[in-house]
Amino acid sequence: MAEVTTQISSSVNALMREFEIVTHNLANVSTIGYKRRCNAFSKSLESRRTGRDSYSPGGIDVESAFDFSQGNIVETGRGLDFALYGRGFFVIETPSGPLYTRNGVFNTNQNGQIVDSSGRIVAGSAGPITIPANILPSQLSVTGDGSISAGEVTLGKFRLVDFQDNEKKLVPAGDNCCRMPQKDITPVSAENIIVKHRYQEASNVNMIDELVDMLMVSRLYEANMKFVAAQREASGSILSVAMG
């Protein structure tokens, strides 16, 4: 009985965590460059919905990861909007180390350097990318590899990186960014990626899918609670018989 109770407790905690993940995804359905979070349990929901697998209380896997599937590319016409098509990330420089993001909605600081929405420098291949004060964002031209120029003047090139098979090890770092927790893993230069100038990459959250997952989580939570209630009732009956 104690082992079953432990399994149920683990299952309920996992379902609560899953519910938090789903609600967080739904809250970011309109966030530019957002990548939905999922875990092994999320991936198993589809098989349970289609009847290919049966559910028994306990044993839910809570290991979570990003879903880095491509979001829709939306044209904005804004001179400092950049979308990534393919695998890879922009690099954001911070005092505690580099962060990685797909959100290419940028601005410039007082020094003309390209920065993210939090004012942090967006890394270029040779350092910060600076736009002279006499050049407007509308005058910029950007090639598919991330090279930025204004007329005949080359201003810099985005540093674009890819973690390849280690991508699944990235963890959230806030502000729609992620980081690599393992210091011995370093990214490589992104190759199969295209920078789209004056575009944004939309969130890859599908609202219908998330709502279906939320419904499934609620039902599984209810199933666990009913199982617990049944176990308590059975234990109570046994105790009543024993007490005469």
Side-chain angles (χ1 to χ4, degrees):
M1 181 63 183
E3 182 179 351
V4 173
T5 302
T6 300
Q7 290 181 343
I8 292 296
S9 177
S10 175
S11 179
V12 169
N13 289 336
L15 288 167
M16 292 176 65
R17 173 58 180 155
E18 179 69 16
F19 188 84
E20 292 174 358
I21 290 173
V22 172
T23 54
H24 185 69
N25 288 339
L26 286 170
N28 286 279
V29 68
S30 299
T31 301
I32 300 302
Y34 178 80
K35 296 303 178 185
R36 66 183 293 269
R37 295 280 290 172
C38 60
N39 59 31
F41 173 55
S42 299
K43 296 171 185 176
S44 70
L45 287 178
E46 178 60 29
S47 63
R48 289 170 180 170
R49 284 199 291 264
T50 56
R52 295 194 301 269
D53 194 12
S54 60
Y55 171 72
S56 60
I60 291 178
D61 190 345
V62 295
E63 181 180 358
S64 61
F66 283 106
D67 169 11
F68 284 113
S69 59
Q70 181 73 50
N72 292 329
I73 303 298
V74 181
E75 185 173 8
T76 66
R78 181 174 175 271
L80 287 175
D81 278 354
F82 306 91
L84 298 180
Y85 185 82
R87 289 185 53 167
F89 304 89
F90 294 107
V91 180
I92 306 299
E93 301 290 359
T94 76
S96 57
L99 300 179
Y100 309 96
T101 186
R102 298 277 298 192
N103 183 357
V105 179
F106 298 144
N107 296 290
T108 54
N109 60 17
Q110 66 274 19
N111 298 318
Q113 298 167 325
I114 295 181
V115 296
D116 70 357
S117 59
S118 298
R120 299 171 300 191
I121 291 176
V122 180
S125 59
I129 302 171
T130 302
I131 301 176
N134 62 333
I135 295 177
L136 300 175
S138 59
Q139 297 175 291
L140 299 177
S141 60
V142 182
T143 59
D145 67 352
S147 298
I148 303 175
S149 60
E152 300 297 323
V153 180
T154 299
L155 302 177
K157 180 181 179 182
F158 285 119
R159 183 188 174 204
L160 304 172
V161 301
D162 181 14
F163 285 91
Q164 299 178 320
D165 293 339
N166 289 313
E167 191 176 69
K168 61 184 178 182
K169 298 178 181 178
L170 290 164
V171 297
D175 293 330
N176 207 9
C177 292
C178 53
R179 62 182 175 83
M180 176 55 70
Q182 296 175 240
K183 301 298 183 181
D184 58 332
I185 297 178
T186 56
V188 298
S189 179
E191 296 181 355
N192 300 315
I193 194 168
I194 298 173
V195 178
K196 301 280 290 182
H197 185 209
R198 299 188 177 90
Y199 285 80
Q200 295 177 355
E201 181 186 5
S203 167
N204 68 349
V205 173
N206 184 303
M207 182 178 290
I208 299 300
D209 288 345
E210 297 298 330
L211 290 174
V212 171
D213 282 358
M214 180 178 287
L215 178 61
M216 196 69 174
V217 168
S218 298
R219 288 178 175 174
L220 293 179
Y221 182 88
E222 182 180 357
N224 276 273
M225 292 298 98
K226 287 182 178 179
F227 187 85
V228 170
Q231 290 293 317
R232 287 177 178 173
E233 183 177 347
S235 297
S237 298
I238 294 172
L239 182 61
S240 298
V241 171
M243 296 294 291

